[in-house]
Coordinates of all heavy atoms in Angstrom, one line a residue:
I1 N -8.6 32.1 -15.5 CA -7.9 31.3 -14.5 C -8.8 30.3 -14.0 O -8.4 29.1 -13.8 CB -7.4 32.2 -13.3 CG1 -6.3 33.1 -13.9 CG2 -7.0 31.4 -12.2 CD1 -5.7 34.1 -12.9
K2 N -10.1 30.7 -13.8 CA -11.1 29.7 -13.3 C -11.2 28.4 -14.3 O -11.2 27.3 -13.8 CB -12.4 30.4 -13.1 CG -13.5 29.5 -12.5 CD -14.8 30.2 -12.3 CE -15.8 29.4 -11.6 NZ -17.0 30.1 -11.4
E3 N -11.2 28.7 -15.5 CA -11.4 27.7 -16.5 C -10.1 26.8 -16.5 O -10.2 25.5 -16.6 CB -11.5 28.3 -17.9 CG -11.7 27.3 -19.1 CD -11.9 27.9 -20.4 OE1 -12.5 29.0 -20.5 OE2 -11.4 27.3 -21.3
F4 N -9.0 27.4 -16.4 CA -7.7 26.7 -16.3 C -7.7 25.7 -15.1 O -7.3 24.6 -15.1 CB -6.5 27.6 -16.2 CG -5.2 26.9 -16.0 CD1 -4.5 26.3 -17.0 CD2 -4.6 26.9 -14.7 CE1 -3.3 25.7 -16.8 CE2 -3.4 26.3 -14.4 CZ -2.8 25.6 -15.5
N5 N -8.2 26.2 -13.9 CA -8.2 25.4 -12.7 C -9.2 24.3 -12.8 O -8.9 23.2 -12.3 CB -8.6 26.4 -11.5 CG -7.4 27.3 -11.0 OD1 -6.3 27.0 -11.3 ND2 -7.7 28.4 -10.3
Q6 N -10.2 24.6 -13.5 CA -11.3 23.5 -13.6 C -10.6 22.4 -14.6 O -10.8 21.2 -14.4 CB -12.5 24.0 -14.3 CG -13.4 24.8 -13.3 CD -14.5 25.5 -13.9 OE1 -14.6 25.6 -15.2 NE2 -15.5 25.9 -13.1
N7 N -9.9 22.8 -15.6 CA -9.3 21.9 -16.5 C -8.2 21.0 -15.8 O -8.1 19.8 -15.9 CB -8.7 22.6 -17.6 CG -8.2 21.7 -18.8 OD1 -8.7 20.6 -18.9 ND2 -7.3 22.2 -19.5
V8 N -7.4 21.7 -14.9 CA -6.5 21.0 -14.1 C -7.1 19.9 -13.2 O -6.7 18.8 -13.1 CB -5.5 21.9 -13.3 CG1 -4.7 21.3 -12.3 CG2 -4.7 22.8 -14.3
L9 N -8.1 20.3 -12.5 CA -8.8 19.5 -11.6 C -9.4 18.3 -12.3 O -9.4 17.2 -11.8 CB -10.0 20.3 -10.9 CG -10.7 19.7 -9.8 CD1 -9.7 19.3 -8.7 CD2 -11.8 20.5 -9.2
S10 N -10.0 18.6 -13.5 CA -10.6 17.5 -14.2 C -9.5 16.4 -14.7 O -9.7 15.3 -14.6 CB -11.2 18.0 -15.5 OG -11.6 17.0 -16.4
K11 N -8.3 17.0 -15.1 CA -7.2 16.1 -15.5 C -6.7 15.3 -14.3 O -6.3 14.2 -14.4 CB -6.2 16.9 -16.2 CG -6.6 17.3 -17.6 CD -5.5 17.8 -18.4 CE -5.9 18.5 -19.7 NZ -6.5 17.6 -20.6
Q12 N -6.7 15.9 -13.1 CA -6.2 15.3 -11.9 C -7.1 14.1 -11.5 O -6.7 13.1 -11.1 CB -6.1 16.3 -10.8 CG -4.9 17.1 -10.8 CD -4.8 18.1 -9.7 OE1 -5.9 18.6 -9.2 NE2 -3.6 18.6 -9.4
K13 N -8.4 14.4 -11.7 CA -9.4 13.4 -11.3 C -9.3 12.1 -12.3 O -9.3 11.0 -11.9 CB -10.8 13.9 -11.4 CG -11.3 14.8 -10.3 CD -12.6 15.3 -10.4 CE -13.1 16.2 -9.2 NZ -14.4 16.6 -9.3
K14 N -9.1 12.4 -13.6 CA -8.9 11.4 -14.6 C -7.6 10.6 -14.3 O -7.6 9.4 -14.3 CB -8.8 12.0 -16.0 CG -10.1 12.5 -16.5 CD -10.0 13.0 -17.9 CE -11.4 13.6 -18.4 NZ -11.2 14.1 -19.8
L15 N -6.5 11.3 -13.9 CA -5.3 10.6 -13.6 C -5.4 9.7 -12.3 O -5.0 8.6 -12.3 CB -4.2 11.6 -13.4 CG -2.8 11.1 -13.0 CD1 -2.3 10.1 -14.2 CD2 -1.8 12.2 -12.9
N16 N -6.1 10.3 -11.3 CA -6.4 9.5 -10.0 C -7.2 8.3 -10.4 O -6.9 7.2 -9.8 CB -7.0 10.3 -9.0 CG -6.0 11.4 -8.4 OD1 -4.8 11.2 -8.4 ND2 -6.6 12.4 -7.8
N17 N -8.2 8.4 -11.2 CA -9.1 7.3 -11.6 C -8.2 6.2 -12.3 O -8.3 5.1 -12.0 CB -10.2 7.8 -12.4 CG -11.3 6.8 -12.6 OD1 -11.5 5.8 -11.9 ND2 -11.9 6.9 -13.8
F18 N -7.5 6.6 -13.2 CA -6.6 5.8 -14.0 C -5.7 5.0 -13.1 O -5.5 3.8 -13.1 CB -5.9 6.5 -15.1 CG -4.9 5.7 -15.9 CD1 -5.3 5.0 -16.9 CD2 -3.5 5.6 -15.5 CE1 -4.5 4.1 -17.7 CE2 -2.7 4.7 -16.2 CZ -3.2 4.0 -17.3
N19 N -5.0 5.8 -12.1 CA -4.1 5.2 -11.2 C -4.8 4.1 -10.3 O -4.3 3.1 -10.1 CB -3.6 6.3 -10.3 CG -2.1 6.4 -10.2 OD1 -1.5 5.6 -10.8 ND2 -1.6 7.5 -9.6
N20 N -6.0 4.4 -9.9 CA -6.7 3.5 -9.0 C -7.1 2.2 -9.8 O -7.0 1.1 -9.2 CB -8.0 4.2 -8.4 CG -7.7 5.2 -7.4 OD1 -6.6 5.1 -6.8 ND2 -8.6 6.2 -7.2
K21 N -7.5 2.4 -11.0 CA -7.8 1.2 -11.9 C -6.5 0.4 -12.1 O -6.6 -0.9 -12.1 CB -8.4 1.6 -13.1 CG -9.8 2.1 -13.1 CD -10.4 2.5 -14.4 CE -11.8 3.1 -14.2 NZ -12.4 3.5 -15.6
A22 N -5.4 1.0 -12.3 CA -4.2 0.3 -12.6 C -3.7 -0.5 -11.4 O -3.3 -1.6 -11.5 CB -3.1 1.3 -13.0
K23 N -3.8 0.2 -10.3 CA -3.4 -0.5 -8.9 C -4.4 -1.7 -8.7 O -3.9 -2.8 -8.2 CB -3.6 0.5 -7.8 CG -2.5 1.5 -7.7 CD -2.6 2.5 -6.6 CE -1.6 3.5 -6.6 NZ -1.8 4.4 -5.4
A24 N -5.7 -1.5 -9.0 CA -6.6 -2.6 -8.8 C -6.3 -3.8 -9.7 O -6.3 -5.0 -9.3 CB -8.1 -2.1 -8.9
E25 N -6.0 -3.5 -11.0 CA -5.6 -4.6 -11.9 C -4.4 -5.2 -11.5 O -4.3 -6.5 -11.5 CB -5.5 -4.0 -13.3 CG -5.3 -4.9 -14.3 CD -6.4 -6.0 -14.6 OE1 -7.6 -5.6 -14.3 OE2 -6.2 -7.1 -15.1
F26 N -3.4 -4.5 -11.1 CA -2.1 -5.1 -10.6 C -2.3 -6.0 -9.4 O -1.8 -7.1 -9.3 CB -1.0 -4.0 -10.3 CG 0.3 -4.6 -9.8 CD1 1.2 -5.2 -10.7 CD2 0.5 -4.6 -8.5 CE1 2.3 -5.8 -10.2 CE2 1.7 -5.2 -8.0 CZ 2.6 -5.7 -8.9
S27 N -3.1 -5.5 -8.4 CA -3.4 -6.2 -7.3 C -4.1 -7.6 -7.5 O -3.8 -8.5 -6.9 CB -4.3 -5.4 -6.3 OG -4.5 -6.0 -5.2
K28 N -5.0 -7.5 -8.5 CA -5.8 -8.7 -8.9 C -4.7 -9.8 -9.5 O -4.8 -10.9 -9.2 CB -6.8 -8.4 -10.0 CG -7.7 -9.4 -10.2 CD -9.0 -8.8 -11.0 CE -8.8 -9.0 -12.4 NZ -10.0 -8.5 -13.2
K29 N -3.8 -9.2 -10.3 CA -2.8 -10.2 -10.9 C -1.8 -10.7 -9.9 O -1.5 -11.9 -9.9 CB -2.1 -9.5 -12.1 CG -3.0 -9.3 -13.2 CD -2.2 -8.6 -14.4 CE -3.1 -8.5 -15.6 NZ -2.4 -8.2 -16.8
L30 N -1.5 -9.9 -9.0 CA -0.6 -10.2 -7.9 C -1.2 -11.2 -7.0 O -0.5 -12.2 -6.7 CB -0.1 -9.0 -7.1 CG 0.8 -9.4 -6.0 CD1 2.1 -9.9 -6.4 CD2 1.1 -8.0 -5.2
S31 N -2.4 -11.0 -6.7 CA -3.1 -12.0 -5.8 C -3.2 -13.4 -6.5 O -3.0 -14.4 -5.8 CB -4.6 -11.6 -5.6 OG -4.5 -10.5 -4.7
S32 N -3.4 -13.4 -7.8 CA -3.4 -14.7 -8.5 C -2.0 -15.4 -8.4 O -2.0 -16.6 -8.3 CB -3.8 -14.4 -10.0 OG -3.6 -15.6 -10.8
I33 N -1.0 -14.6 -8.6 CA 0.4 -15.1 -8.5 C 0.6 -15.7 -7.2 O 1.2 -16.8 -7.0 CB 1.4 -14.1 -8.9 CG1 1.3 -13.8 -10.4 CG2 2.8 -14.5 -8.6 CD1 2.1 -12.6 -10.9
L34 N 0.3 -14.9 -6.1 CA 0.5 -15.4 -4.8 C -0.2 -16.6 -4.4 O 0.2 -17.5 -3.7 CB 0.2 -14.3 -3.8 CG 1.0 -13.0 -3.8 CD1 0.4 -11.9 -2.9 CD2 2.4 -13.4 -3.3
E35 N -1.5 -16.7 -4.9 CA -2.3 -17.9 -4.7 C -1.7 -19.1 -5.3 O -1.6 -20.2 -4.6 CB -3.7 -17.7 -5.2 CG -4.7 -18.8 -5.0 CD -6.1 -18.5 -5.4 OE1 -6.5 -17.3 -5.6 OE2 -6.8 -19.5 -5.7
E36 N -1.3 -19.0 -6.5 CA -0.6 -20.1 -7.3 C 0.6 -20.6 -6.5 O 1.0 -21.7 -6.3 CB -0.4 -19.7 -8.7 CG 0.2 -20.9 -9.5 CD -0.7 -22.0 -9.7 OE1 -2.0 -21.8 -9.7 OE2 -0.3 -23.2 -9.9
Y37 N 1.5 -19.5 -6.1 CA 2.8 -19.8 -5.5 C 2.5 -20.5 -4.2 O 3.2 -21.5 -3.8 CB 3.5 -18.5 -5.3 CG 4.9 -18.7 -4.7 CD1 6.0 -19.0 -5.5 CD2 5.1 -18.7 -3.3 CE1 7.2 -19.1 -4.9 CE2 6.3 -18.9 -2.7 CZ 7.4 -19.1 -3.5 OH 8.6 -19.4 -3.0
S38 N 1.6 -20.1 -3.4 CA 1.2 -20.7 -2.1 C 0.8 -22.2 -2.3 O 1.2 -23.0 -1.5 CB 0.3 -19.8 -1.3 OG -1.0 -19.9 -1.9
K39 N 0.0 -22.4 -3.3 CA -0.4 -23.8 -3.5 C 0.7 -24.7 -3.9 O 0.9 -25.8 -3.4 CB -1.5 -23.8 -4.6 CG -2.9 -23.3 -4.2 CD -3.8 -23.3 -5.4 CE -5.2 -22.8 -5.0 NZ -6.1 -22.8 -6.2
Q40 N 1.6 -24.2 -4.8 CA 2.7 -25.0 -5.3 C 3.7 -25.3 -4.2 O 4.4 -26.3 -4.3 CB 3.4 -24.3 -6.5 CG 2.5 -24.3 -7.7 CD 3.3 -23.5 -8.9 OE1 4.3 -22.9 -8.7 NE2 2.7 -23.6 -10.1
N41 N 3.9 -24.4 -3.3 CA 4.9 -24.5 -2.2 C 4.3 -24.8 -0.8 O 5.0 -24.7 0.2 CB 5.7 -23.2 -2.2 CG 6.5 -23.0 -3.4 OD1 7.6 -23.6 -3.6 ND2 6.0 -22.2 -4.4
S42 N 3.0 -25.2 -0.8 CA 2.4 -25.6 0.5 C 2.5 -24.5 1.5 O 2.9 -24.8 2.7 CB 2.9 -26.9 1.0 OG 2.8 -28.0 0.0
I43 N 2.2 -23.3 1.2 CA 2.3 -22.2 2.1 C 0.9 -21.8 2.4 O 0.0 -21.6 1.6 CB 2.9 -21.0 1.5 CG1 4.4 -21.3 1.1 CG2 3.0 -19.7 2.3 CD1 5.2 -20.2 0.4
S44 N 0.6 -21.7 3.8 CA -0.8 -21.5 4.2 C -1.0 -20.0 4.6 O -2.1 -19.5 4.7 CB -1.1 -22.3 5.4 OG -0.2 -22.2 6.4
L45 N 0.2 -19.2 4.7 CA 0.1 -17.8 5.1 C 1.1 -17.0 4.4 O 2.4 -17.4 4.5 CB 0.1 -17.7 6.6 CG 0.0 -16.4 7.2 CD1 -1.4 -15.8 7.0 CD2 0.2 -16.5 8.8
I46 N 0.8 -15.9 3.8 CA 1.8 -15.0 3.3 C 1.5 -13.6 4.0 O 0.4 -13.1 4.0 CB 1.7 -14.8 1.8 CG1 2.0 -16.2 1.1 CG2 2.7 -13.7 1.3 CD1 1.9 -16.2 -0.4
I47 N 2.7 -13.0 4.6 CA 2.5 -11.8 5.4 C 3.4 -10.7 4.8 O 4.5 -11.0 4.4 CB 2.9 -12.1 6.8 CG1 2.1 -13.1 7.5 CG2 2.8 -10.8 7.7 CD1 2.5 -13.6 8.9
R48 N 2.9 -9.6 4.7 CA 3.7 -8.4 4.2 C 4.8 -8.1 5.3 O 4.6 -8.3 6.4 CB 2.9 -7.1 4.1 CG 1.9 -7.2 3.0 CD 1.1 -5.8 3.0 NE 0.2 -5.8 2.0 CZ 0.2 -4.8 1.0 NH1 1.0 -3.8 1.1 NH2 -0.7 -4.9 0.1
K49 N 6.0 -7.8 4.7 CA 7.1 -7.5 5.6 C 6.7 -6.4 6.6 O 7.2 -6.4 7.8 CB 8.3 -7.0 4.9 CG 9.1 -8.1 4.3 CD 10.4 -7.6 3.5 CE 11.1 -8.7 2.9 NZ 12.4 -8.3 2.3
E50 N 6.0 -5.4 6.2 CA 5.6 -4.3 7.1 C 4.8 -4.7 8.3 O 4.8 -4.1 9.3 CB 4.8 -3.2 6.3 CG 5.4 -2.6 5.1 CD 5.1 -3.4 3.9 OE1 4.0 -3.8 3.6 OE2 6.1 -3.7 3.1
S51 N 4.1 -5.9 8.1 CA 3.3 -6.4 9.2 C 4.0 -7.4 10.2 O 3.4 -7.8 11.1 CB 2.0 -7.1 8.7 OG 1.3 -6.2 7.8
L52 N 5.3 -7.7 9.8 CA 6.0 -8.6 10.6 C 7.0 -7.9 11.5 O 7.7 -7.1 11.1 CB 6.7 -9.5 9.5 CG 7.5 -10.8 10.1 CD1 6.5 -11.7 10.7 CD2 8.2 -11.4 8.9
L53 N 7.0 -8.4 12.8 CA 7.9 -7.9 13.7 C 9.3 -8.5 13.7 O 10.3 -7.9 13.5 CB 7.3 -8.1 15.2 CG 8.1 -7.4 16.3 CD1 8.3 -5.9 16.1 CD2 7.4 -7.7 17.6
I54 N 9.3 -9.9 13.7 CA 10.6 -10.6 13.6 C 10.3 -11.8 12.8 O 9.2 -12.5 12.8 CB 11.0 -11.0 15.0 CG1 11.4 -9.8 15.8 CG2 12.2 -12.0 14.9 CD1 11.8 -10.2 17.3
G55 N 11.2 -12.3 11.9 CA 11.0 -13.4 11.1 C 12.4 -14.1 10.7 O 13.4 -13.3 10.7
I56 N 12.4 -15.3 10.3 CA 13.5 -16.0 9.8 C 13.8 -15.6 8.4 O 12.8 -15.6 7.5 CB 13.5 -17.5 9.9 CG1 13.3 -17.9 11.4 CG2 14.7 -18.1 9.4 CD1 12.9 -19.3 11.6
S57 N 14.9 -15.0 8.0 CA 15.1 -14.6 6.6 C 15.0 -15.7 5.6 O 14.7 -15.4 4.5 CB 16.5 -13.9 6.5 OG 17.5 -14.8 6.8
S58 N 15.2 -16.9 6.0 CA 15.1 -18.0 5.0 C 13.6 -18.2 4.6 O 13.3 -18.9 3.6 CB 15.6 -19.3 5.6 OG 14.8 -19.7 6.7
L59 N 12.7 -17.6 5.3 CA 11.2 -17.7 5.0 C 10.8 -16.6 4.0 O 9.7 -16.6 3.6 CB 10.4 -17.7 6.3 CG 10.6 -18.9 7.2 CD1 9.8 -18.7 8.4 CD2 10.3 -20.3 6.6
D60 N 11.7 -15.7 3.8 CA 11.4 -14.5 2.9 C 11.3 -15.0 1.4 O 12.3 -15.5 0.9 CB 12.5 -13.4 3.0 CG 12.1 -12.1 2.3 OD1 11.1 -12.1 1.7 OD2 12.9 -11.2 2.5
I61 N 10.1 -14.8 0.9 CA 9.9 -15.3 -0.5 C 9.8 -14.1 -1.5 O 9.4 -14.3 -2.6 CB 8.6 -16.1 -0.6 CG1 7.3 -15.2 -0.2 CG2 8.7 -17.3 0.2 CD1 6.0 -15.9 -0.5
T62 N 10.2 -12.9 -1.1 CA 10.2 -11.7 -1.9 C 10.8 -11.9 -3.2 O 10.2 -11.6 -4.3 CB 10.8 -10.5 -1.1 OG1 10.1 -10.3 0.2 CG2 10.6 -9.3 -2.0
E63 N 12.0 -12.4 -3.2 CA 12.7 -12.5 -4.6 C 12.0 -13.5 -5.5 O 11.9 -13.2 -6.7 CB 14.1 -12.9 -4.3 CG 15.1 -11.9 -3.8 CD 15.2 -10.7 -4.6 OE1 15.2 -10.8 -5.8 OE2 15.1 -9.6 -4.0
S64 N 11.5 -14.6 -4.9 CA 10.8 -15.5 -5.8 C 9.5 -14.9 -6.4 O 9.1 -15.1 -7.6 CB 10.4 -16.7 -4.9 OG 11.5 -17.4 -4.4
I65 N 8.8 -14.1 -5.6 CA 7.5 -13.5 -6.0 C 7.9 -12.4 -7.1 O 7.2 -12.3 -8.0 CB 6.7 -12.9 -4.8 CG1 6.4 -14.0 -3.8 CG2 5.6 -12.1 -5.3 CD1 5.5 -15.1 -4.4
L66 N 8.9 -11.7 -6.8 CA 9.3 -10.6 -7.8 C 9.6 -11.2 -9.2 O 9.3 -10.7 -10.2 CB 10.4 -9.8 -7.3 CG 10.1 -8.8 -6.2 CD1 11.4 -8.1 -5.7 CD2 9.1 -7.7 -6.7
E67 N 10.3 -12.4 -9.1 CA 10.6 -13.1 -10.3 C 9.4 -13.5 -11.1 O 9.2 -13.4 -12.3 CB 11.6 -14.3 -10.1 CG 13.0 -13.9 -9.8 CD 13.8 -15.1 -9.3 OE1 13.3 -16.3 -9.7 OE2 14.9 -15.0 -8.7
L68 N 8.4 -14.0 -10.4 CA 7.2 -14.4 -11.0 C 6.4 -13.3 -11.5 O 5.8 -13.3 -12.6 CB 6.3 -15.2 -9.9 CG 6.8 -16.6 -9.6 CD1 6.0 -17.2 -8.4 CD2 6.7 -17.5 -10.8
V69 N 6.4 -12.2 -10.7 CA 5.7 -10.9 -11.2 C 6.4 -10.5 -12.5 O 5.6 -10.1 -13.4 CB 5.7 -9.9 -10.1 CG1 5.3 -8.5 -10.7 CG2 4.8 -10.2 -8.9
N70 N 7.6 -10.4 -12.5 CA 8.3 -9.9 -13.7 C 8.1 -10.8 -14.9 O 8.0 -10.4 -16.0 CB 9.8 -9.7 -13.4 CG 10.2 -8.6 -12.6 OD1 9.4 -7.6 -12.6 ND2 11.2 -8.6 -11.9
K71 N 8.0 -12.1 -14.6 CA 7.8 -13.1 -15.7 C 6.3 -13.0 -16.2 O 6.1 -13.1 -17.4 CB 8.1 -14.4 -15.2 CG 7.9 -15.6 -16.1 CD 8.3 -16.9 -15.5 CE 7.9 -18.1 -16.4 NZ 7.9 -19.4 -15.7
N72 N 5.4 -12.8 -15.3 CA 4.0 -13.0 -15.7 C 3.2 -11.7 -15.9 O 2.2 -11.8 -16.5 CB 3.3 -13.8 -14.6 CG 3.7 -15.3 -14.5 OD1 3.8 -16.0 -15.5 ND2 4.2 -15.7 -13.3
I73 N 3.7 -10.7 -15.5 CA 3.0 -9.4 -15.6 C 3.8 -8.5 -16.5 O 4.7 -7.9 -16.0 CB 2.6 -8.7 -14.3 CG1 1.8 -9.6 -13.4 CG2 1.9 -7.4 -14.5 CD1 1.5 -9.0 -12.1
K74 N 3.5 -8.5 -17.8 CA 4.2 -7.7 -18.7 C 3.5 -6.3 -19.0 O 4.1 -5.4 -19.3 CB 4.4 -8.4 -20.0 CG 5.2 -9.7 -19.9 CD 6.6 -9.4 -19.6 CE 7.4 -10.8 -19.6 NZ 8.7 -10.6 -19.0
K75 N 2.2 -6.4 -18.7 CA 1.5 -5.2 -19.1 C 0.2 -5.1 -18.3 O -0.4 -6.1 -18.0 CB 1.1 -5.3 -20.6 CG 0.3 -4.2 -21.2 CD 0.1 -4.4 -22.7 CE -0.6 -3.2 -23.3 NZ -0.8 -3.4 -24.7
I76 N -0.2 -3.9 -17.9 CA -1.4 -3.7 -17.1 C -2.3 -2.9 -18.1 O -2.0 -1.8 -18.5 CB -1.2 -2.9 -15.9 CG1 -0.2 -3.6 -14.9 CG2 -2.5 -2.5 -15.1 CD1 -0.7 -4.9 -14.2
T77 N -3.5 -3.5 -18.3 CA -4.5 -2.8 -19.2 C -5.5 -2.2 -18.4 O -6.2 -2.8 -17.6 CB -5.1 -3.9 -20.2 OG1 -4.0 -4.5 -20.9 CG2 -6.0 -3.3 -21.2
V78 N -5.7 -0.9 -18.6 CA -6.8 -0.1 -17.9 C -7.8 0.2 -18.8 O -7.5 0.9 -19.9 CB -6.1 1.0 -17.1 CG1 -7.3 1.8 -16.4 CG2 -5.1 0.6 -16.2
Q79 N -9.1 0.0 -18.5 CA -10.2 0.5 -19.4 C -10.9 1.6 -18.9 O -11.0 1.8 -17.8 CB -11.1 -0.7 -19.6 CG -10.5 -1.9 -20.3 CD -11.3 -3.1 -20.2 OE1 -12.3 -3.2 -19.5 NE2 -11.0 -4.0 -21.2

């Protein structure tokens, strides 16, 4: 049982490490997309919805960003 638990723990650590690397890679690519979008559309500030108390819905760029993410990020490579 001890060996089994160690094996499970080892695999959980590897999975967590992989997950963290994948998130970091995605975040890097997303930042690049957001930076390019903000330059092209003269946007000086992009705020997460969770951090916003009230806003005009016409300023919501979520759909545009999701389209760009789907178009530009086809694969996340983790080393």
Side-chain angles (χ1 to χ4, degrees):
I1 292 178
K2 186 177 180 180
E3 183 180 324
F4 174 77
N5 287 338
Q6 288 175 340
N7 191 19
V8 168
L9 188 61
S10 173
K11 291 190 185 295
Q12 284 176 333
K13 285 182 182 180
K14 287 180 183 178
L15 181 60
N16 286 339
N17 188 28
F18 178 85
N19 236 351
N20 291 336
K21 287 180 180 181
K23 286 178 185 178
E25 184 65 26
F26 177 78
S27 182
K28 192 165 93 175
K29 290 183 178 194
L30 178 60
S31 291
S32 173
I33 289 170
L34 291 173
E35 185 178 335
E36 183 66 29
Y37 183 87
S38 66
K39 285 179 185 176
Q40 290 177 352
N41 293 281
S42 302
I43 296 173
S44 56
L45 181 66
I46 297 176
I47 301 173
R48 288 178 180 239
K49 280 186 181 180
E50 303 88 48
S51 302
L52 187 63
L53 185 59
I54 296 175
I56 301 170
S57 60
S58 64
L59 297 177
D60 186 355
I61 60 170
T62 304
E63 288 301 318
S64 300
I65 297 301
L66 286 174
E67 286 176 16
L68 288 172
V69 166
N70 288 333
K71 178 182 172 188
N72 294 306
I73 301 177
K74 299 292 183 191
K75 185 177 182 180
I76 300 291
T77 305
V78 178
Q79 298 172 336

